[in-house]
Amino acid sequence: MSLDVHPQLLRALRAVLETGSLTAASERLGFTQSALSKQIAALEAAAGTRLFRRGPRGVEPTPAATRLAARAVTILDQLDAAARDLAEVSAPLDGRVALGGFPATAMRLAPRAIARVRLTNPAIEVDFLESSTPVQIRRLRAGRLDLAILGVGADLPDWDLTGVELETLPGGPLLVAVSVRHPLALAGRHRVPVSALAAENWIAGRGARGEPQFGPWPGLAEPRVVATLADWSTRLGFVAAGLGITTVPRLAAQSLPAEVTCLEVDDPHGTGRTMALARIGALPAPAAVVRAALFDEARRIAGYTPPGP
């Protein structure tokens, strides 16, 4: 025997059992008593047995009704759970995510990732806080950031990352930014040995004590620094004017002024500098969406090849 009935008939059965009368059950479900009686009759026809008998205190369930109701509770609970699951899937994610990044990440990585999130999940709001890596670590520990893009590497300070979970972001090697009129650029070279940088004038970044900055190529013995400037736009303006060169991360390569180009560097010792995405504890769903967007955009940046001069 196969019992194929509409879930509403099972709800009618449960309501009558729980209230003990057709009148009370019809009021609970919002049907007329006549309509509810027809639902019970249809269920009895499908079951092939009587489910209720009229008694002095209302309707009395038969053993068949009691056994069917026990199954109905499980069935209806599962249907309700399925409806909730579908609602969660179809409902747009919403929430606010606090994302931190060092200044160079604001050139392309962070804004492009935020734009990607806004396109696919417009109900998620991303607050971007630009600050140095040590400040971000403090904000992360204080609960002011959900995610933080940190600079890490052998040539950087040994940050205290106890309790912080790190994931390496694709980033690619460091580059050197030079004026398009610089001899290295005019020579048509796309890649230069690190020895070619030793005698150059360097534009360095300036920040608070202990905050790492881009500037001379890491590992140069005694680089000649001719200017120390706080903002990227100012530094790159000096580079464009031919007053010096500076080190830039690959994530900035597609955001340089038209008068500036970048070169890859052959350095047998390497720089060991990378980006990492930091968090503390499990990520809520909106933060996980931001994380995925950051990795997607970081992969695009890491695969970018600077154009030849």
Side-chain angles (χ1 to χ4, degrees):
M1 174 183 176
S2 175
L3 184 62
D4 186 8
V5 298
H6 193 281
Q8 177 53 42
L9 302 186
L10 298 179
R11 292 189 176 93
L13 170 67
R14 185 168 66 178
V16 174
L17 275 172
E18 291 176 352
T19 62
S21 76
L22 291 174
T23 302
S26 62
E27 291 176 353
R28 173 188 288 190
L29 296 174
F31 293 105
T32 64
Q33 185 171 336
S34 173
L36 183 61
S37 295
K38 290 179 180 179
Q39 292 176 11
I40 295 299
L43 184 58
E44 287 179 330
T49 186
R50 194 168 186 179
L51 299 174
F52 293 97
R53 296 188 180 90
R54 290 191 176 275
R57 298 182 180 178
V59 292
E60 297 179 356
T62 65
T66 303
R67 296 189 67 174
L68 179 57
R71 297 288 186 182
V73 170
T74 301
I75 293 169
L76 294 173
D77 285 347
Q78 289 297 317
L79 287 173
D80 290 343
R84 289 193 298 270
D85 288 345
L86 290 174
E88 290 175 1
V89 169
S90 59
L93 281 175
D94 61 5
R96 186 178 293 274
V97 179
L99 169 66
F102 53 88
T105 64
M107 291 184 173
R108 179 181 172 92
L109 176 59
R112 293 297 182 92
I114 293 170
R116 184 189 292 261
V117 171
R118 186 171 296 175
L119 181 65
T120 58
N121 293 271
I124 296 177
E125 297 184 38
V126 184
D127 296 327
F128 180 68
L129 300 174
E130 179 186 305
S131 58
S132 66
T133 288
V135 172
Q136 288 190 77
I137 295 172
R138 292 197 296 272
R139 287 176 172 171
L140 197 64
R141 294 192 188 283
R144 295 175 58 193
L145 291 178
D146 299 297
L147 293 167
I149 309 170
L150 310 181
V152 295
D155 65 315
L156 294 177
D158 188 14
W159 316 118
D160 178 10
L161 297 172
T162 305
V164 177
E165 297 180 52
L166 294 182
E167 296 180 275
T168 300
L169 278 166
L174 291 180
L175 304 169
V176 170
V178 304
S179 165
V180 294
R181 295 178 295 277
H182 190 283
L184 291 175
L186 294 175
R189 303 177 70 175
H190 174 67
R191 193 175 183 91
V192 297
V194 68
S195 59
L197 307 177
E200 293 292 334
N201 294 328
W202 290 92
I203 310 297
R206 183 178 71 238
R209 183 184 297 275
E211 295 183 355
Q213 299 291 324
F214 291 97
W217 188 261
L220 287 182
E222 295 181 354
R224 183 167 59 247
V225 177
V226 296
T228 304
L229 306 166
D231 297 328
W232 269 109
S233 58
T234 310
R235 278 178 261 170
L236 293 174
F238 271 57
V239 172
L243 299 176
I245 67 176
T246 193
T247 302
V248 297
R250 185 174 290 266
L251 55 86
Q254 290 172 273
S255 305
L256 299 178
E259 301 87 356
V260 176
T261 189
C262 50
L263 307 173
E264 295 182 342
V265 179
D266 277 323
D267 186 348
H269 301 292
T271 64
R273 187 176 293 190
T274 59
M275 291 187 299
L277 188 62
R279 70 176 190 269
I280 296 177
L283 282 182
V289 171
V290 175
R291 173 196 172 278
L294 285 167
F295 269 90
D296 286 343
E297 192 59 38
R299 291 187 190 99
R300 290 175 180 268
I301 293 171
Y304 169 76
T305 299

